[in-house]
Amino acid sequence: MAADTRDSTSPKQPTANSNMAGVNGKTYDTFNYPATIENKDSLPGANSKTLVERQKEPGFVEALKTIKLQDFKEVHKKPCTREGFLTGIGAAFATGGVRAILGAPIFTACSWAVGAFAFGSFAMHEYCQAKRRREKEGIQKVNAALMEKKIKEEMKREGIRKARRKAKEEAER
């Protein structure tokens, strides 16, 4: 339950310090704040240090810490990655093979193969994702149309029920 605002044990307000800081001939009041301000609404174990740490912008190192070995073991379970990798492998084999057969140095043919793998994998993955989005939108449209049809049928049935009730009431009179 919330504490009474008139409670005398509430956090201390800053008090004016007798020292005045002067800069360029101007005098400013300085305030002494308590070392830690206890907030009754904060989570247990939270303090001013943890609040400051939470406000830090995550960086590259923090992003790397979130990657686990298990993520690489289950990459084939992600949607569209299988198709992307298979297309990339095919594109790399075809491009590298053709470049090697046409007499390009092995290093050059391998470079072309790596580029074809990267481009083919990326292109197929994006194509597959776009196709999935279109399918999802189509499913949502079908579901909306079915719900609309169901509502219309229910309204029609309700109208028929009301007409039957009215006819039955008139017949009873």
Side-chain angles (χ1 to χ4, degrees), residues 41-58:
D41 296 330
S42 67
L43 295 173
N47 56 30
S48 60
K49 184 178 179 183
T50 57
L51 294 176
V52 171
E53 289 175 0
R54 288 183 193 155
Q55 294 175 355
K56 288 183 181 176
E57 192 69 29

Side-chain angles (χ1 to χ4, degrees), residues 8-102:
S8 62
T9 61
S10 62
K12 296 178 182 176
Q13 295 294 327
T15 58
N17 191 353
S18 60
N19 298 330
M20 300 293 213
V23 178
N24 295 333
K26 296 183 179 179
T27 304
Y28 299 98
D29 290 332
T30 58
F31 293 94
N32 291 328
Y33 288 94
T36 58
I37 298 175
E38 295 295 327
N39 185 356
K40 293 180 182 178
D41 296 330
S42 67
L43 295 173
N47 56 30
S48 60
K49 184 178 179 183
T50 57
L51 294 176
V52 171
E53 289 175 0
R54 288 183 193 155
Q55 294 175 355
K56 288 183 181 176
E57 192 69 29
F60 183 72
V61 175
E62 287 82 14
L64 284 179
K65 289 179 183 177
T66 64
I67 298 173
K68 301 176 215 122
L69 181 61
Q70 191 67 22
D71 295 338
F72 292 104
K73 290 181 178 178
E74 295 181 357
V75 72
H76 64 282
K77 295 180 182 177
K78 305 288 184 204
C80 298
T81 53
R82 182 176 182 272
E83 293 87 355
F85 281 140
L86 289 175
T87 302
I89 290 168
F93 181 75
T95 306
V98 168
R99 292 286 295 171
I101 290 171
L102 293 177

